Amino acid sequence: MASIEMRNIVKQYGDGFPAVNDVTLDIADGEFMILVGPSGCGKSTLLRMIVGLEDITSGDMVIAGKRVNDLAPRDRNLSMVFQNYALYPHMTVFENIAFPLRLAKTPDEEVKRRVAEAADVLELREHLERKPANLSGGQRQRVAMGRAIVRHAEAFLFDEPLSNLDAKLRGQMRTEISRLQRRLGITTVYVTHDQTEAMTLGDRVCVLRKGTIQQVASPRELYEQP
Ligand code: ADP
Ligand code: ADP
Protein backbone atom coordinates (compact mmCIF):
# COMPACT_ATOMS: atom_id res chain seq x y z
CA MET A 1 0.00 0.00 0.00
CA ALA A 2 1.11 3.49 -0.69
CA SER A 3 0.25 7.13 -0.40
CA ILE A 4 0.19 9.18 -3.60
CA GLU A 5 1.36 12.77 -3.37
CA MET A 6 1.07 15.17 -6.27
CA ARG A 7 2.95 18.45 -6.02
CA ASN A 8 2.22 21.24 -8.51
CA ILE A 9 1.64 18.79 -11.34
CA VAL A 10 1.42 20.34 -14.82
CA LYS A 11 0.76 18.59 -18.13
CA GLN A 12 1.10 20.55 -21.31
CA TYR A 13 0.33 18.85 -24.63
CA GLY A 14 1.90 20.86 -27.44
CA ASP A 15 1.53 24.61 -26.90
CA GLY A 16 -2.16 24.79 -25.96
CA PHE A 17 -3.79 25.41 -22.58
CA PRO A 18 -2.37 22.96 -19.98
CA ALA A 19 -4.50 19.80 -19.68
CA VAL A 20 -3.47 19.65 -16.00
CA ASN A 21 -2.52 22.94 -14.43
CA ASP A 22 -0.78 23.02 -11.04
CA VAL A 23 -2.52 20.15 -9.27
CA THR A 24 -1.48 19.46 -5.67
CA LEU A 25 -3.27 16.56 -4.01
CA ASP A 26 -2.40 14.09 -1.24
CA ILE A 27 -4.03 10.69 -1.31
CA ALA A 28 -3.51 8.78 1.94
CA ASP A 29 -2.50 5.17 2.32
CA GLY A 30 -5.61 3.05 1.84
CA GLU A 31 -7.80 5.95 0.80
CA PHE A 32 -10.42 5.71 -1.97
CA MET A 33 -10.18 8.96 -3.98
CA ILE A 34 -12.64 9.81 -6.73
CA LEU A 35 -11.76 12.17 -9.59
CA VAL A 36 -14.79 13.84 -11.16
CA GLY A 37 -15.38 16.72 -13.55
CA PRO A 38 -16.63 17.46 -17.06
CA SER A 39 -15.17 15.79 -20.11
CA GLY A 40 -11.78 17.26 -20.97
CA CYS A 41 -11.02 18.55 -17.45
CA GLY A 42 -7.88 16.39 -17.21
CA LYS A 43 -9.01 13.34 -15.21
CA SER A 44 -7.52 10.71 -17.51
CA THR A 45 -4.34 12.70 -18.03
CA LEU A 46 -3.84 12.89 -14.27
CA LEU A 47 -4.44 9.16 -13.86
CA ARG A 48 -2.05 8.37 -16.70
CA MET A 49 0.65 10.50 -15.09
CA ILE A 50 0.23 8.60 -11.81
CA VAL A 51 0.65 5.26 -13.57
CA GLY A 52 3.48 6.55 -15.76
CA LEU A 53 1.84 6.29 -19.15
CA GLU A 54 2.17 10.05 -19.69
CA ASP A 55 5.21 12.27 -19.05
CA ILE A 56 4.85 15.00 -16.44
CA THR A 57 5.66 18.48 -17.77
CA SER A 58 6.52 19.83 -14.32
CA GLY A 59 5.90 19.07 -10.67
CA ASP A 60 6.57 16.01 -8.53
CA MET A 61 4.74 12.70 -8.37
CA VAL A 62 5.59 10.91 -5.12
CA ILE A 63 4.37 7.36 -4.49
CA ALA A 64 5.08 5.66 -1.16
CA GLY A 65 7.47 8.47 -0.33
CA LYS A 66 9.51 8.05 -3.51
CA ARG A 67 9.63 10.47 -6.44
CA VAL A 68 8.56 8.48 -9.49
CA ASN A 69 8.62 11.10 -12.29
CA ASP A 70 11.32 9.22 -14.15
CA LEU A 71 10.20 5.67 -13.35
CA ALA A 72 8.70 3.47 -16.10
CA PRO A 73 5.18 2.12 -15.48
CA ARG A 74 6.51 -1.33 -14.74
CA ASP A 75 8.65 0.03 -11.89
CA ARG A 76 5.81 1.84 -10.12
CA ASN A 77 3.96 -1.30 -9.04
CA LEU A 78 0.50 0.12 -9.68
CA SER A 79 -2.49 -1.61 -11.21
CA MET A 80 -4.76 0.08 -13.70
CA VAL A 81 -8.24 -1.18 -14.60
CA PHE A 82 -9.54 0.18 -17.89
CA GLN A 83 -13.07 0.69 -19.17
CA ASN A 84 -12.56 -1.87 -21.90
CA TYR A 85 -11.29 -4.71 -19.77
CA ALA A 86 -8.86 -6.12 -22.32
CA LEU A 87 -8.97 -9.85 -21.71
CA TYR A 88 -7.14 -12.25 -23.98
CA PRO A 89 -9.84 -14.29 -25.77
CA HIS A 90 -7.63 -17.32 -26.42
CA MET A 91 -6.61 -17.64 -22.76
CA THR A 92 -8.58 -19.18 -19.89
CA VAL A 93 -9.69 -17.13 -16.92
CA PHE A 94 -6.78 -18.61 -14.98
CA GLU A 95 -4.22 -17.51 -17.56
CA ASN A 96 -5.82 -14.10 -17.96
CA ILE A 97 -5.49 -13.47 -14.23
CA ALA A 98 -2.02 -15.01 -14.13
CA PHE A 99 -0.74 -12.91 -17.04
CA PRO A 100 1.08 -10.18 -15.02
CA LEU A 101 2.74 -12.88 -12.91
CA ARG A 102 3.87 -14.76 -16.03
CA LEU A 103 5.40 -11.53 -17.33
CA ALA A 104 7.23 -11.15 -14.05
CA LYS A 105 8.47 -14.77 -14.33
CA THR A 106 6.83 -15.73 -11.05
CA PRO A 107 7.37 -19.42 -10.14
CA ASP A 108 4.48 -21.76 -11.04
CA GLU A 109 3.55 -22.66 -7.47
CA GLU A 110 3.25 -19.03 -6.48
CA VAL A 111 1.20 -18.25 -9.62
CA LYS A 112 -1.27 -20.98 -8.65
CA ARG A 113 -1.49 -19.78 -5.08
CA ARG A 114 -2.02 -16.13 -5.98
CA VAL A 115 -4.53 -16.77 -8.76
CA ALA A 116 -6.52 -19.00 -6.38
CA GLU A 117 -6.43 -16.24 -3.77
CA ALA A 118 -7.69 -13.64 -6.28
CA ALA A 119 -10.34 -16.04 -7.61
CA ASP A 120 -11.59 -16.59 -4.05
CA VAL A 121 -11.97 -12.91 -3.34
CA LEU A 122 -13.79 -12.38 -6.65
CA GLU A 123 -15.82 -15.60 -6.54
CA LEU A 124 -14.38 -16.86 -9.80
CA ARG A 125 -13.19 -20.23 -8.53
CA GLU A 126 -15.58 -22.30 -10.67
CA HIS A 127 -14.75 -20.36 -13.81
CA LEU A 128 -10.97 -20.61 -13.94
CA GLU A 129 -10.88 -22.98 -16.93
CA ARG A 130 -13.41 -21.06 -19.04
CA LYS A 131 -12.65 -18.62 -21.85
CA PRO A 132 -13.80 -14.97 -21.67
CA ALA A 133 -16.36 -15.50 -24.48
CA ASN A 134 -18.27 -17.87 -22.17
CA LEU A 135 -18.54 -15.42 -19.30
CA SER A 136 -21.10 -12.76 -18.46
CA GLY A 137 -20.13 -9.08 -18.57
CA GLY A 138 -19.85 -8.97 -14.80
CA GLN A 139 -17.66 -12.04 -14.67
CA ARG A 140 -15.38 -10.57 -17.33
CA GLN A 141 -15.07 -7.38 -15.33
CA ARG A 142 -14.15 -9.45 -12.29
CA VAL A 143 -11.46 -11.26 -14.27
CA ALA A 144 -10.02 -7.87 -15.21
CA MET A 145 -10.01 -6.97 -11.53
CA GLY A 146 -8.41 -10.31 -10.74
CA ARG A 147 -5.57 -9.39 -13.04
CA ALA A 148 -5.22 -6.10 -11.21
CA ILE A 149 -5.17 -7.57 -7.69
CA VAL A 150 -3.00 -10.59 -8.42
CA ARG A 151 0.07 -8.37 -8.58
CA HIS A 152 -0.22 -7.10 -5.02
CA ALA A 153 0.20 -3.60 -6.36
CA GLU A 154 0.64 -0.54 -4.17
CA ALA A 155 -2.49 1.13 -5.55
CA PHE A 156 -5.43 0.61 -7.91
CA LEU A 157 -6.24 3.09 -10.64
CA PHE A 158 -9.62 2.92 -12.34
CA ASP A 159 -10.56 4.86 -15.48
CA GLU A 160 -14.36 4.76 -15.75
CA PRO A 161 -14.38 0.99 -15.36
CA LEU A 162 -18.17 0.62 -15.35
CA SER A 163 -19.30 3.00 -18.05
CA ASN A 164 -19.85 0.28 -20.66
CA LEU A 165 -22.05 -1.84 -18.41
CA ASP A 166 -25.83 -1.81 -18.07
CA ALA A 167 -27.41 -0.29 -14.96
CA LYS A 168 -27.94 -3.58 -13.10
CA LEU A 169 -24.40 -4.77 -13.63
CA ARG A 170 -23.05 -1.35 -12.72
CA GLY A 171 -24.81 -1.61 -9.38
CA GLN A 172 -23.37 -5.07 -8.74
CA MET A 173 -19.87 -4.00 -9.71
CA ARG A 174 -20.05 -0.94 -7.50
CA THR A 175 -20.75 -3.19 -4.55
CA GLU A 176 -17.99 -5.55 -5.68
CA ILE A 177 -15.36 -2.82 -6.03
CA SER A 178 -16.29 -1.29 -2.70
CA ARG A 179 -16.10 -4.63 -0.91
CA LEU A 180 -12.80 -5.51 -2.57
CA GLN A 181 -11.19 -2.16 -1.80
CA ARG A 182 -12.20 -2.30 1.86
CA ARG A 183 -11.10 -5.89 2.19
CA LEU A 184 -7.71 -5.21 0.66
CA GLY A 185 -7.41 -1.72 2.14
CA ILE A 186 -5.58 -0.63 -0.97
CA THR A 187 -5.10 2.99 -2.05
CA THR A 188 -7.45 3.66 -4.96
CA VAL A 189 -7.89 6.46 -7.48
CA TYR A 190 -11.10 6.21 -9.47
CA VAL A 191 -12.16 8.39 -12.41
CA THR A 192 -15.87 8.65 -13.08
CA HIS A 193 -18.57 11.06 -14.15
CA ASP A 194 -21.24 9.03 -12.36
CA GLN A 195 -22.47 10.76 -9.20
CA THR A 196 -23.75 7.51 -7.65
CA GLU A 197 -20.32 5.94 -8.01
CA ALA A 198 -18.66 9.01 -6.52
CA MET A 199 -21.07 9.01 -3.56
CA THR A 200 -20.99 5.33 -2.75
CA LEU A 201 -17.34 4.52 -3.40
CA GLY A 202 -15.28 7.52 -2.40
CA ASP A 203 -13.74 8.45 0.92
CA ARG A 204 -13.11 11.81 -0.76
CA VAL A 205 -14.03 13.34 -4.09
CA CYS A 206 -11.71 15.66 -6.04
CA VAL A 207 -13.56 17.92 -8.48
CA LEU A 208 -11.49 19.03 -11.47
CA ARG A 209 -12.26 21.82 -13.88
CA LYS A 210 -10.13 22.91 -16.80
CA GLY A 211 -7.11 21.14 -15.38
CA THR A 212 -7.28 22.56 -11.86
CA ILE A 213 -8.79 21.36 -8.60
CA GLN A 214 -12.05 23.11 -7.80
CA GLN A 215 -12.58 21.37 -4.47
CA VAL A 216 -11.79 18.24 -2.50
CA ALA A 217 -14.50 17.05 -0.11
CA SER A 218 -16.21 14.01 1.33
CA PRO A 219 -19.16 12.72 -0.76
CA ARG A 220 -21.46 13.91 2.01
CA GLU A 221 -20.09 17.46 1.98
CA LEU A 222 -20.28 17.55 -1.79
CA TYR A 223 -23.65 16.01 -2.58
CA GLU A 224 -25.84 16.44 0.49
CA GLN A 225 -26.67 20.12 0.31
CA PRO A 226 -28.11 21.61 3.53
P1 ADP B 1 -10.91 13.90 -19.15
O1 ADP B 1 -10.34 12.56 -18.81
O2 ADP B 1 -11.30 14.68 -17.94
O3 ADP B 1 -12.02 13.84 -20.15
P2 ADP B 1 -8.40 14.31 -20.54
O4 ADP B 1 -7.35 14.13 -19.53
O5 ADP B 1 -8.68 13.18 -21.46
O6 ADP B 1 -9.74 14.78 -19.81
O7 ADP B 1 -8.07 15.58 -21.42
C1 ADP B 1 -7.70 16.84 -20.87
C2 ADP B 1 -7.35 17.80 -22.02
O8 ADP B 1 -6.14 17.36 -22.66
C3 ADP B 1 -8.40 17.87 -23.12
O9 ADP B 1 -8.44 19.19 -23.57
C4 ADP B 1 -7.87 16.95 -24.18
O10 ADP B 1 -8.29 17.34 -25.44
C5 ADP B 1 -6.36 17.11 -24.02
N1 ADP B 1 -5.62 15.88 -24.40
C6 ADP B 1 -5.75 14.67 -23.83
N2 ADP B 1 -4.90 13.79 -24.38
C7 ADP B 1 -4.20 14.47 -25.31
C8 ADP B 1 -3.16 14.13 -26.23
N3 ADP B 1 -2.65 12.88 -26.26
N4 ADP B 1 -2.70 15.08 -27.04
C9 ADP B 1 -3.18 16.34 -26.98
N5 ADP B 1 -4.15 16.73 -26.15
C10 ADP B 1 -4.66 15.82 -25.32
P1 ADP C 1 6.70 -2.20 -23.38
O1 ADP C 1 7.71 -2.80 -22.46
O2 ADP C 1 6.49 -3.00 -24.64
O3 ADP C 1 6.89 -0.73 -23.63
P2 ADP C 1 4.30 -1.38 -21.97
O4 ADP C 1 4.83 0.00 -21.99
O5 ADP C 1 2.97 -1.67 -22.55
O6 ADP C 1 5.32 -2.42 -22.62
O7 ADP C 1 4.27 -1.88 -20.48
C1 ADP C 1 5.42 -2.10 -19.75
C2 ADP C 1 5.03 -2.46 -18.34
O8 ADP C 1 4.38 -1.35 -17.78
C3 ADP C 1 4.06 -3.60 -18.26
O9 ADP C 1 4.72 -4.84 -18.02
C4 ADP C 1 3.19 -3.26 -17.11
O10 ADP C 1 3.67 -3.84 -15.91
C5 ADP C 1 3.31 -1.78 -16.98
N1 ADP C 1 2.07 -1.15 -17.46
C6 ADP C 1 1.73 -0.79 -18.71
N2 ADP C 1 0.53 -0.27 -18.77
C7 ADP C 1 0.08 -0.28 -17.49
C8 ADP C 1 -1.12 0.14 -16.88
N3 ADP C 1 -2.11 0.67 -17.57
N4 ADP C 1 -1.24 -0.03 -15.56
C9 ADP C 1 -0.24 -0.54 -14.84
N5 ADP C 1 0.91 -0.95 -15.36
C10 ADP C 1 1.06 -0.83 -16.67
Side-chain angles (χ1 to χ4, degrees):
M1 278 210 298
S3 60
I4 299 173
E5 297 161 53
M6 299 175 232
R7 299 262 175 268
N8 307 106
I9 296 287
V10 174
K11 176 65 186 188
Q12 179 106 40
Y13 292 109
D15 50 13
F17 194 81
V20 171
N21 195 0
D22 199 21
V23 162
T24 293
L25 180 65
D26 277 1
I27 303 171
D29 221 24
E31 184 171 31
F32 200 129
M33 177 68 79
I34 305 276
L35 303 181
V36 296
S39 177
C41 70
K43 305 182 293 294
S44 293
T45 298
L46 201 55
L47 207 66
R48 292 166 62 81
M49 286 191 286
I50 297 171
V51 85
L53 297 172
E54 202 75 72
D55 286 336
I56 297 167
T57 305
S58 65
D60 295 309
M61 184 69 71
V62 178
I63 298 175
K66 182 175 169 192
R67 187 176 184 272
V68 298
N69 287 47
D70 303 318
L71 279 191
R74 71 177 71 82
D75 298 322
R76 297 187 187 197
N77 196 25
L78 306 172
S79 250
M80 182 131 159
V81 182
F82 292 97
Q83 179 182 107
N84 304 308
Y85 35 87
L87 302 180
Y88 297 103
H90 60 287
M91 290 185 192
T92 62
V93 168
F94 182 98
E95 285 305 331
N96 266 287
I97 295 176
F99 189 71
L101 302 178
R102 300 284 188 213
L103 278 185
K105 311 244 184 296
T106 309
D108 250 13
E109 281 311 304
E110 194 182 337
V111 171
K112 280 189 196 143
R113 190 172 54 73
R114 279 167 63 174
V115 171
E117 195 181 271
D120 265 353
V121 174
L122 292 163
E123 293 168 16
L124 285 170
R125 264 234 142 131
E126 294 112 74
H127 307 300
L128 286 174
E129 295 314 316
R130 295 169 75 180
K131 299 272 175 66
N134 303 318
L135 300 174
S136 70
Q139 288 166 338
R140 281 203 283 267
Q141 183 78 27
R142 273 188 270 150
V143 176
M145 282 171 41
R147 190 191 285 165
I149 68 175
V150 80
R151 292 170 53 209
H152 295 178
E154 308 247 43
F156 282 159
L157 307 170
F158 290 92
D159 195 353
E160 307 216 15
L162 309 185
S163 58
N164 286 343
L165 306 179
D166 64 42
K168 177 155 173 266
L169 200 50
R170 250 195 335 263
Q172 284 170 10
M173 289 309 299
R174 257 201 327 268
T175 311
E176 196 87 53
I177 289 172
S178 176
R179 192 174 64 90
L180 191 65
Q181 198 269 347
R182 277 171 225 302
R183 174 148 169 196
L184 301 174
I186 192 166
T187 311
T188 301
V189 188
Y190 189 105
V191 167
T192 185
H193 55 250
D194 183 303
Q195 184 171 319
T196 312
E197 284 174 33
M199 279 182 69
T200 52
L201 290 172
D203 293 319
R204 285 193 296 161
V205 181
C206 173
V207 184
L208 290 167
R209 203 180 135 80
K210 294 183 181 162
T212 61
I213 294 180
Q214 214 171 31
Q215 59 173 322
V216 184
S218 71
R220 179 182 296 239
E221 289 163 341
L222 203 61
Y223 297 115
E224 286 175 22
Q225 310 299 348

